[in-house]
Amino acid sequence: MIFHRTPGPFDVSYRITHCGVCYADVLWSRNMLGHTKYPVVPGHEVVGIVTAVGAEVSRFKVGDRVGNGAFVNSCRHCEFCEKRMENNCTEGCVLTYDAIDHDGSITRGGFSTHMLVHERYCVKIPDALLPELAGPLLCAGIVVYSPMVRHGMNKTGKSIGIIGLGGSGHLAVKFAKSFGATVTVLSTSPSKKDEALGVLGAHRFIVTSNKEEMEIAAKSLDYIIDTASGDHTLDPYLALLKTGGMLLLIGAPRELKFSPANLFLGMKSIVGSVGGGTKEMEEMLDYCANHGIAPIIELIPIQYINEALNRLSNNDVRYRFVVDIEGSLHME
C-alpha cells in the first residue's frame, strides 16, 4: 500500500471519483523520460469529494466536489505565484505525481482512491459539470483555454486554425467556437473530416497534404493552435497566417523546423504555453459550466488502464480516457 504525506492544517483530503488519462501518464509509467521514481502513481486530472479538511482550511468543506490538475505545490511567493499563475512558479511547481514535495515526500497521482492537497491547489467543481467530464478540463482543457484567453483568441470574429484533433485539440475547437471564432481544423487524416465538421462543428477542414486546399487557405488565419506531438515542419502552417498572425505551440514534439524568413516576412510569431494557474482553472471551469463545454470521453474502469495506455500511445482514443475510480472499486 502507498500512502500520502502526513496531513497539514491547510490540507484537503478527498475521495477520488474520477481521473482523466493524459499522455504524460504514458511517459511516466513507462519511464520514457528516464527519471520515473517507481513505484509511480500517475494521474493529474483528478476529481473527487472532500472527506476531511485541516484546521486552517477556509475555502472548502466536507462534501464539496473538488479537483486538481498537473501541480500540487509551488513556492507561493514569486511574482507568478502571487498572481495565482503557479504553473509558472520561478522555483518550479511540484507536479501532482512522481515529484519531490517540499517536505521530501514523493507525490502520488489520481490513479488511486484518495488525494491529499494543500487547499491553494484545489479547485471547486461547479455543480453543472459532471465529475467524469470535469477531470480532463484540468489538463487538456486548461492547456488551451489559458493561452487562448491570454492572447486574445476569445475576441469575437477571429479566425483560428487547430492542428491535431486529440484531447486538447477537440477542446480547442469547442472553446474557439464558443468565443465566436471561425474555426478551421488542419489534419493529415481525411478520415477526421466528418467528425470535425459534423460533431465538433468546425467551419472548415483542410487536409494538410492537399496542396490546393493549403494554397486557398493562405493568409486566412489570425491564429493557429498546434497540439500535435509528433515532429513536423511549421513552414506550411506559417503560410496560412495573416500578417501579424500567431502560432501557439501546445504539443511537445522533440523537434520542430521552420525558416526564420517565414516569421519576419509578415510579422508572424511563435509562442508556447503549458497549463494554467489555479485562478485560470476556476475561471475556465465556470466558463465551461455556463457555456456547456465538456470533453468527449471514453469512461473506463481502472482494471482497463494498461490497455488504455497502449491505445493512447497509438492515438486510439476519442478523445480522452477517464478512469471511473469509484465505480472500479465495486467490480469483481
Side-chain angles (χ1 to χ4, degrees):
M1 186 175 291
I2 297 175
F3 296 95
H4 289 283
R5 59 179 168 77
T6 302
F10 292 95
D11 284 335
V12 173
S13 178
Y14 66 91
R15 183 182 78 250
I16 299 171
T17 60
H18 299 85
C19 185
V21 184
C22 174
Y23 189 71
D25 303 328
V26 176
L27 298 177
W28 257 264
S29 63
R30 298 178 179 179
N31 195 26
M32 294 172 69
L33 301 178
H35 53 59
T36 299
K37 297 176 287 295
Y38 293 109
V40 63
V41 182
H44 61 205
E45 301 177 349
V46 199
V47 172
I49 299 173
V50 176
T51 56
V53 296
E56 301 296 326
V57 171
S58 60
R59 298 178 56 230
F60 303 99
K61 65 182 185 303
V62 172
D64 283 348
R65 284 202 308 154
V66 299
N68 64 274
F71 56 89
V72 292
N73 214 339
S74 63
C75 79
R76 306 178 198 171
H77 55 74
C78 72
E79 60 174 311
F80 296 105
C81 284
E82 289 185 353
K83 295 176 183 178
R84 296 183 65 197
M85 298 172 65
E86 302 93 341
N87 59 308
N88 293 304
C89 174
T90 57
E91 296 183 18
C93 61
V94 177
L95 299 182
T96 298
Y97 63 83
D98 199 42
I100 299 176
D101 209 341
H102 294 171
D103 64 356
S105 63
I106 296 176
T107 57
R108 311 296 184 185
F111 294 175
S112 54
T113 56
H114 288 80
M115 285 292 289
L116 182 68
V117 186
H118 188 287
E119 69 168 333
R120 175 182 179 130
Y121 306 96
C122 281
V123 292
K124 182 77 178 292
I125 304 299
D127 292 338
L129 287 176
L130 294 173
E132 61 268 30
L133 300 180
L137 294 173
L138 299 175
C139 175
I142 192 64
V143 78
V144 289
Y145 177 87
S146 171
M148 289 178 80
V149 172
R150 184 166 66 251
H151 293 296
M153 298 186 206
N154 57 337
K155 296 178 181 178
T156 302
K158 299 299 181 180
S159 55
I160 301 176
I162 295 161
I163 304 171
L165 207 56
S168 294
H170 91 289
L171 284 169
V173 172
K174 292 191 172 195
F175 282 128
K177 278 202 66 184
S178 75
F179 294 151
T182 299
V183 183
T184 299
V185 171
L186 304 163
S187 178
T188 59
S189 175
S191 63
K192 293 184 178 180
K193 182 175 182 178
D194 289 344
E195 184 86 0
L197 300 178
V199 177
L200 297 176
H203 301 93
R204 182 171 59 167
F205 183 90
I206 294 175
V207 178
T208 54
S209 60
N210 187 311
K211 185 177 179 181
E212 182 179 356
E213 290 184 11
M214 293 288 281
E215 288 178 350
I216 292 173
K219 299 181 181 180
S220 67
L221 302 175
D222 296 299
Y223 300 95
I224 294 175
I225 303 172
D226 187 350
T227 72
S229 293
D231 293 350
H232 54 285
T233 300
L234 296 181
D235 291 318
Y237 302 108
L238 293 173
L240 304 182
L241 290 172
K242 299 177 182 177
T243 298
M246 173 185 293
L247 189 147
L248 168 67
L249 291 174
I250 295 299
R254 292 171 300 177
E255 183 179 66
L256 292 170
K257 294 182 179 181
F258 66 92
S259 170
N262 289 326
L263 288 184
F264 56 72
L265 294 176
M267 300 188 301
K268 299 167 186 178
S269 59
I270 298 174
V271 299
S273 184
V274 58
T278 53
K279 182 176 185 291
E280 292 171 313
M281 287 185 190
E282 291 172 347
E283 292 173 354
M284 175 201 63
L285 290 170
D286 288 339
Y287 184 88
C288 290
N290 292 332
H291 291 81
I293 295 175
I296 297 172
I297 68 167
E298 292 187 39
L299 192 64
I300 63 170
I302 191 63
Q303 291 83 352
Y304 187 75
I305 190 61
N306 287 330
E307 179 62 27
L309 292 174
N310 287 335
R311 286 181 54 193
L312 180 56
S313 66
N314 292 317
N315 296 316
D316 178 22
V317 55
R318 183 181 179 271
Y319 283 94
R320 204 70 162 183
F321 287 118
V322 174
V323 182
D324 180 0
I325 299 291
E326 198 166 54
S328 300
L329 298 178
H330 304 296
M331 295 182 64
E332 293 291 339

